[in-house]
Amino acid sequence: MHDKAKGLDHVAIAVKDLDAAVKYYVEVLGFAPPELEEVAEQQVRTAIFGHGMGRIELICPTAADTSVAKFLEKRGEGLHHVCVEVADLDATLAELKGKGAQLIDQTPKAGAGGARIAFIHPKGAHGVLTELRQGPKPHG
Ligand code: CO
């Protein structure tokens, strides 16, 4: 019952200039160079710092008319979402639908690192855009 959510997978920070933000994380904060990936379905480029649970993900839009681009326009750079790793994304989504949760994604989409993801609207998640994620394999 209480092991459906595995914990914080990552926090995501929306940035306007991915290269500049990566430089800051590496040169100022001292992270090892990140894993870079373009996630076509979400229309973002990502830079992921760290391994396993608790990573930091920088996200930068690749197109103007996307939710991340609109977020940056409206609010500027900053915390965009938190991501919770779940054991069974389909089961969690079905349960949330049953409880009338405000889902952005009714069905799982493709996320970074080959994961399946779905977002819950901030209005239904105590003010925080929340990503649910089921990774392709257990975290090592
Ligand atoms: Co994310």
Side-chain angles (χ1 to χ4, degrees):
M1 187 67 190
H2 295 288
D3 57 357
K4 291 177 191 168
K6 302 279 185 192
L8 178 68
D9 185 80
H10 64 269
V11 295
I13 296 158
V15 301
K16 291 178 175 169
D17 181 338
L18 190 65
D19 294 337
V22 165
K23 197 168 148 71
Y24 169 81
Y25 274 78
V26 171
E27 292 182 7
V28 179
L29 293 182
F31 279 96
E35 200 170 303
L36 300 169
E37 184 179 342
E38 182 158 347
V39 185
E41 187 159 354
Q42 302 290 324
Q43 291 185 282
V44 291
R45 288 168 66 217
T46 66
I48 295 171
F49 296 92
H51 299 281
M53 301 289 274
R55 302 185 304 286
I56 296 174
E57 176 187 59
L58 305 180
I59 52 177
C60 187
T62 57
D65 192 31
T66 59
S67 66
V68 179
K70 285 174 196 159
F71 175 94
L72 283 168
E73 235 168 71
K74 211 165 125 186
R75 319 233 326 236
E77 293 187 316
L79 183 64
H80 183 263
H81 65 267
V82 299
C83 176
V84 173
E85 177 78 19
V86 298
D88 184 336
L89 182 56
D90 299 297
T92 299
L93 282 177
E95 193 173 336
L96 285 168
K97 278 182 208 168
K99 289 175 177 167
Q102 294 190 51
L103 300 177
I104 292 174
D105 301 310
Q106 301 296 322
T107 54
K109 291 184 165 178
R116 297 164 70 235
I117 63 165
F119 282 93
I120 307 171
H121 196 282
K123 283 180 187 161
H126 299 271
V128 180
L129 177 60
T130 302
E131 177 182 7
L132 301 172
R133 175 190 193 274
Q134 184 181 357
K137 56 184 186 295
H139 288 296

